[in-house]
Structures are given as structure tokens and as C-alpha cells.
């Protein structure tokens, strides 16, 4: 949002999104305050204990922010640029251009790490992630005769969506060299809406079904597999539909969530041999 002077080794950091929260924790910094969608993501475990909730998504309580006396505020422009001036009156504020939902999560990790004076540590985390991804990629290639086609989809509010290669989870799957259905591998959007009947956009050798307890009418894994239409999908017939958490696959958008995706892909695709 312009030039901002930030303190060396900030001590009282406030984060206004899950991505900088994930990043800060990964870098060994526990924020004093954070906004949350509904609650802290389960995948972060007890590492969020002691962090004060200062509002919900894109709605920070500015009085609560000021009361915590932060020396640095981290967020992104999406939905929060309108508050930038008021936030800078409280503490130096650094906002990433995007939230990471469009696949730019690694750039944001480096960006937040620079503001936190932890660039070297971030580089190490990303190197370790890439090494882990490369190893898993080789394991998948060894187990499958050709790269399995992986679909990533979600349901809720009477709609069906699919996440593309331009999404956060899509970027992680690209690091694994996993093929995607054509409709999920083209275009500029991070997510697409599809009809129930457009099965070719949804099907693959495996489906990662993003489920959320906060999205109205989000289908559970059992509901999805028993649906008369979805049960016709090849992945359902082969028993290769895996429920994954929206907190990780869509909302995490940083290094800890990316590593969690690697773990879940490994547990799913390598759990048994193809066709078994």
C-alpha cells in the first residue's frame, strides 16, 4: 500500500487473515491477536492458544486491535484495503496484494517473512516443503503407471464448485505433478462453478472433496458417495474419494497448510495400489 517502516524483530504482531497467521506461527512467532472465520483452524492445533480473537473475516474490531498495542499488523488487500489508513494509525501495517487463494502463497510467505524479519527462516521452510513435495512426487510416479488425474471440488449452498490449478490447493498439487481434469486446468480463475450434470469437469482417478462445517448444505463424504448422480463418477466407483477440510485446502493458504495437503495426498493416494 506504499512505503511502511516496520520494527526489526517485531514482538506484538496482529494478523488479519489465516495466511499470515499460518506464516507467523510457522516462523516461530505467536501473534497477540488475529481475526478468525469462525474459530481458529484445527490444523494449527494448540499453537493458537493465547492468541486473542479481534474479529471475524475482514471485520477486525479496531478498538480491540488498538488495545493490544501491536507493533506490526499483517493482512492482505482483499476486503481490508478500505481499513488501511485507520490501521496505520494504530501500528505499521503491511498488506499482501492477494490472499494466496490464486496460488501465490509462496510469494506471500516470503513477503510476510520480510516484514517479520524472518526471511532466512522462510527460505528454509520453503526449501523443506519443496524437498518433501519432490519426494512425494517420485513416490506417486513409482506407484502409478501414469500421473493420476485429480479433481478438487466442493459443495454447499446448492452449488458445486471445483478448484483449479490457479488455486492454493491447485498450486500444491502442481508441485506434485498431478494431472487435473481439463476444466480445472485452464483459465485464469481459482475456482469454477459447474452443474451437477457436468460430470467430466468433476471426475478423475481420485477426488478430493472439500467439506466445511461452516458452509450451508455442504455434502459429507457419505452423502456425496450415495448421491444418485455423483455415484456414477469413476472416482466414486473406484473408492477414491477423500474428504478434506476447507480450513486447510482453501483457507490455509500458507506453509503449514501446504505441508498438511502433502500429508493428506500421501495418505490418500499411496494408501493402496491403483485398482485395489
Amino acid at each position: 500500500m506504499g512505503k511502511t517502516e516496520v520494527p526489526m524483530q517485531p514482538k506484538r504482531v496482529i494478523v488479519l487473515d489465516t495466511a499470515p497467521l499460518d506464516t507467523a506461527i510457522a516462523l516461530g512467532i505467536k501473534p497477540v491477536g488475529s481475526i478468525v472465520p469462525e474459530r481458529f483452524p484445527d490444523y494449527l492445533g494448540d499453537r493458537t492458544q493465547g492468541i486473542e480473537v479481534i474479529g471475524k473475516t475482514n471485520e477486525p474490531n479496531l478498538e480491540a486491535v488498538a488495545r493490544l498495542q501491536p507493533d506490526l499488523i499483517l493482512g492482505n488487500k482483499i476486503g481490508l484495503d478500505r481499513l488501511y489508513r485507520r490501521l496505520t494509525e494504530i501500528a505499521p501495517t503491511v498488506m499482501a496484494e492477494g490472499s494466496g487463494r490464486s496460488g501465490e502463497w509462496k510469494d506471500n510467505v516470503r513477503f510476510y517473512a520480510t516484514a517479520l524479519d524472518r526471511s532466512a527462516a522462510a527460505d528454509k521452510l520453503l526449501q523443506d516443503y519443496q524437498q518433501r513435495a519432490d519426494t512425494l512426487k517420485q513416490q506417486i510416479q513409482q506407484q502409478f503407471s501414469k500421473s493420476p488425474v485429480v479433481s478438487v471440488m466442493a459443495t454447499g449452498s446448492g452449488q458445486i464448485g471445483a478448484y483449479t490449478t490457479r488455486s492454493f490447493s491447485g498450486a500444491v498439487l502442481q508441485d506434485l505433478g498431478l494431472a487435473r481434469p481439463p476444466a480445472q486446468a485452464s483459465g485464469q480463475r481459482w475456482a469454477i462453478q459447474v452443474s451437477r450434470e457436468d460430470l467430466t469437469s468433476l471426475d478423475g482417478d481420485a477426488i478430493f472433496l472439500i467439506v466445511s462445517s461452516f458452509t450451508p448444505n455442504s455434502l459429507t463424504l457419505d452423502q456425496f458417495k450415495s448421491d444418485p448422480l455423483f455415484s456414477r463418477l469413476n472416482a466414486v466407483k473406484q473408492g477414491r474419494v477423500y474428504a478434506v477440510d476447507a480450513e486447510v485446502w482453501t483457507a490455509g493458504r500458507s506453509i503449514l497448510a501446504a505441508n498438511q495437503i502433502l500429508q493428506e495426498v500421501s495418505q490418500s493416494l499411496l494408501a493402496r495400489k491403483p485398482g485395489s
Side-chain angles (χ1 to χ4, degrees):
M1 303 290 287
K3 291 185 178 181
T4 302
E5 291 188 5
V6 300
M8 298 294 289
Q9 299 181 349
K11 303 297 183 184
R12 298 185 61 80
V13 179
I14 280 180
V15 292
L16 303 180
D17 186 26
T18 305
L21 171 64
D22 180 308
T23 305
I25 290 175
L27 293 171
I29 297 174
K30 177 175 286 190
V32 295
S34 173
I35 60 175
V36 296
E38 297 290 339
R39 52 173 170 72
F40 287 112
D42 287 339
Y43 79 91
L44 294 177
D46 61 5
R47 289 172 287 190
T48 59
Q49 288 183 2
I51 301 176
E52 183 171 330
V53 176
I54 45 89
K56 291 192 174 183
T57 303
N58 292 338
E59 295 295 338
N61 182 318
L62 297 182
E63 292 183 358
V65 172
R67 186 172 61 251
L68 288 174
Q69 299 181 323
D71 54 10
L72 178 64
I73 300 172
L74 297 179
N76 66 75
K77 289 184 181 181
I78 299 177
L80 287 169
D81 55 351
R82 58 188 170 82
L83 297 176
Y84 178 74
R85 182 185 60 80
R86 298 176 68 185
L87 290 167
T88 58
E89 292 173 354
I90 299 173
T93 301
V94 176
M95 289 189 172
E97 190 74 27
S99 67
R101 69 184 182 186
S102 298
E104 74 280 27
W105 68 273
K106 294 177 187 176
D107 292 337
N108 286 355
V109 168
R110 297 184 182 97
F111 181 73
Y112 291 134
T114 300
L116 293 168
D117 196 23
R118 299 289 177 92
S119 293
D123 288 341
K124 181 63 165 60
L125 286 174
L126 289 170
Q127 289 170 5
D128 291 345
Y129 159 84
Q130 191 60 56
Q131 184 176 18
R132 187 178 179 189
D134 291 343
T135 299
L136 179 54
K137 180 179 180 179
Q138 291 177 354
Q139 292 172 336
I140 292 173
Q141 290 173 344
Q142 290 170 358
Q143 178 151 318
F144 291 82
S145 58
K146 63 178 181 178
S147 174
V149 177
V150 171
S151 175
V152 181
M153 58 176 296
T155 65
S157 303
Q159 299 178 337
I160 302 169
Y163 289 84
T164 71
T165 54
R166 297 274 307 199
S167 66
F168 165 59
S169 60
V172 177
L173 296 180
Q174 277 193 297
D175 286 339
L176 296 175
L178 291 169
R180 306 293 302 280
Q184 297 179 29
S186 60
Q188 300 298 311
R189 293 178 294 171
W190 54 276
I192 56 175
Q193 186 174 333
V194 297
S195 69
R196 282 175 52 89
E197 293 72 26
D198 188 10
L199 298 184
T200 58
S201 296
L202 302 175
D203 207 357
D205 299 309
I207 294 175
F208 288 99
L209 178 67
I210 297 176
V211 297
S212 171
S213 58
F214 305 120
T215 301
N217 302 315
S218 174
L219 295 181
T220 66
L221 179 61
D222 288 340
Q223 289 171 333
F224 180 84
K225 292 191 297 185
S226 63
D227 182 276
L229 189 61
F230 296 146
S231 62
R232 294 161 50 189
L233 294 170
N234 176 64
V236 177
K237 294 177 180 178
Q238 296 298 318
R240 287 193 171 274
V241 183
Y242 310 102
V244 293
D245 199 325
E247 291 182 338
V248 176
W249 284 63
T250 62
R253 292 172 277 113
S254 193
I255 185 68
L256 295 177
N259 276 305
Q260 181 67 23
I261 290 176
L262 295 185
Q263 179 178 329
E264 293 178 3
V265 170
S266 176
Q267 291 172 338
S268 301
L269 297 187
L270 301 182
R272 57 194 176 120
K273 295 182 179 179
S276 63

